[in-house]
Amino acid sequence: STPIAAIMAPMTPGARVHPAVYHVTDFLAHSAEVLAVNIGRKSGDLVATGGDDRKVNIWSLASGTNLMSLSGHTSAVECVAFDQNEEMIVAGSSGGTLKLWDLERGKVARTLTGHRSNCLCATWHPYGEFFASGSSDTNLKVWDIRRKTCIQTYKGHARGVSHLLFSPDGRWLVSGGDDGAVKLWDLTMGKLLHEFDAPALAHAVEASCHGLAFHPSEFLLATASADRTARLWDLETF
């Protein structure tokens, strides 16, 4: 596929921050390096952080206070994600284990295993009790929390899967990897629908995927790459 637009970021060290951007606050979130952060969409007030101290901490944006600290992982927490209702949070660790916490009870509801190495990303399906995870083992998995198991495993990346995102209508799952590949998976058919082929720029050593975003109402996908480009893809034909 050919992107309908590509934007190259200028290499201008020391560029000024936009005057409309203000530093609001900061806080000591963990006793070690902070590796992950996620803001809940329902209230807009809950922030989750994951750290090298093996903990998941929940914060209030309004008050800046720590609401709870969730322990249980035996290795660093590399990704965190709230569900749509902010009732549960999933966290993936460098050991490959995923833990699902019930936020009302403040306890682990599920411990899910299957990835062989670092769990790099996790994202919730917009409808239903499903989430997806990506790992440095090159696989991505879709989990059903009611059945407490993995229901789909997708393979095809040559290196770790660092970014995942469900389409707004929940039909597709897009994955971005350290191999530079961006793949679109059809959840109903359970197979690869399309791989986006964007040739790397001549100066790029590698073109790892650094970000994914779906347009909320149109069939458009944006990708960010280590080759200094952002690309916009038309999904209308799929």
Side-chain angles (χ1 to χ4, degrees):
S1 293
T2 302
I4 60 175
I7 304 167
M8 180 181 291
M11 301 296 286
T12 52
R16 295 177 59 189
V17 175
H18 191 281
V21 178
Y22 298 94
H23 176 217
V24 178
T25 187
D26 53 32
F27 48 86
L28 186 62
H30 290 266
S31 61
E33 186 176 354
V34 181
L35 303 176
V37 65
N38 185 243
I39 297 177
R41 292 189 176 186
K42 185 177 181 180
S43 68
D45 182 54
L46 296 183
V47 181
T49 56
D52 207 16
D53 57 4
R54 308 187 298 275
K55 293 182 179 179
V56 175
N57 290 330
I58 310 296
W59 308 83
S60 166
L61 272 178
S63 65
T65 56
N66 178 237
L67 301 178
M68 65 180 73
S69 185
L70 305 171
S71 300
H73 274 299
T74 57
S75 57
V77 176
E78 297 200 17
C79 60
V80 291
F82 286 106
D83 73 344
Q84 300 299 321
N85 296 317
E86 298 177 357
E87 296 173 349
M88 308 196 86
I89 189 167
V90 63
S93 74
S94 59
T97 300
L98 291 148
K99 286 188 181 291
L100 195 66
W101 272 277
D102 181 325
L103 293 179
E104 184 176 350
R105 299 170 58 207
K107 294 183 178 180
V108 175
R110 307 276 189 275
T111 297
L112 303 168
T113 58
H115 287 300
R116 299 188 304 274
S117 57
N118 306 54
C119 187
L120 303 176
C121 56
T123 186
W124 286 86
H125 191 275
Y127 313 107
E129 297 179 335
F130 307 94
F131 71 88
S133 60
S135 169
S136 57
D137 66 8
T138 74
N139 296 333
L140 51 143
K141 293 178 178 289
V142 179
W143 305 84
D144 184 331
I145 64 172
R146 293 166 299 183
R147 293 162 59 182
K148 308 178 187 179
T149 188
C150 172
I151 55 174
Q152 291 174 326
T153 297
Y154 297 118
K155 302 180 179 182
H157 282 278
R159 297 181 63 187
V161 179
S162 54
H163 293 81
L164 287 173
L165 194 62
F166 287 103
S167 60
D169 61 8
R171 292 167 49 201
W172 302 328
L173 176 64
V174 64
S175 60
D178 293 335
D179 56 0
V182 175
K183 298 175 183 287
L184 187 68
W185 309 87
D186 187 298
L187 297 173
T188 302
M189 293 189 293
K191 67 178 184 179
L192 180 67
L193 183 64
H194 190 76
E195 179 170 354
F196 299 95
D197 182 19
L201 299 181
H203 62 262
V205 176
E206 62 178 25
S208 301
C209 177
H210 285 343
L212 302 167
F214 277 106
H215 191 283
S217 58
E218 298 183 25
F219 288 103
L220 296 173
L221 172 69
T223 61
S225 172
D227 66 5
R228 293 166 41 197
T229 61
R231 293 181 172 90
L232 195 62
W233 305 89
D234 186 354
L235 308 179
E236 190 70 43
T237 58
F238 299 138

